Amino acid sequence: EDGVQWTTITYSAAISACEKAAEWRQAVQLLCDMPEGLERGTITYSAAIGACEKDAEWQQAFQLLLDMSHQRVERDTITYSAVISACEKA
């Protein structure tokens, strides 16, 4: 136990930090590591997609967008813009 209470908020914050550092693999890994009981919402997915966008990882960004659809997670303008930007950078 590392003393951190891992919640949706702490996972989202960690994923956002990965986004800012352009560490897309770590961001996606954190998203995948989230336990079943925690909500993977729009903000969490968008942060992971944003991390992919920073490194032009359009295929991973698009896959996360598809995952959001399958999980019935709401997509917003930020989500779509990050995926489009990842495609533009590739």
Side-chain angles (χ1 to χ4, degrees), residues 22-68:
E23 292 288 339
W24 72 270
R25 285 184 181 92
Q26 184 66 34
V28 172
Q29 188 61 54
L30 282 167
L31 181 67
C32 291
D33 288 347
M34 288 180 72
E36 284 295 315
L38 297 181
E39 179 187 353
R40 296 177 189 173
T42 305
I43 293 170
T44 308
Y45 269 102
S46 292
I49 290 171
C52 295
E53 178 262 334
K54 297 242 187 300
D55 205 22
E57 289 294 329
W58 71 271
Q59 291 171 319
Q60 184 63 57
F62 191 73
Q63 183 59 54
L64 291 172
L65 183 67
L66 291 176
D67 290 349
M68 290 177 78

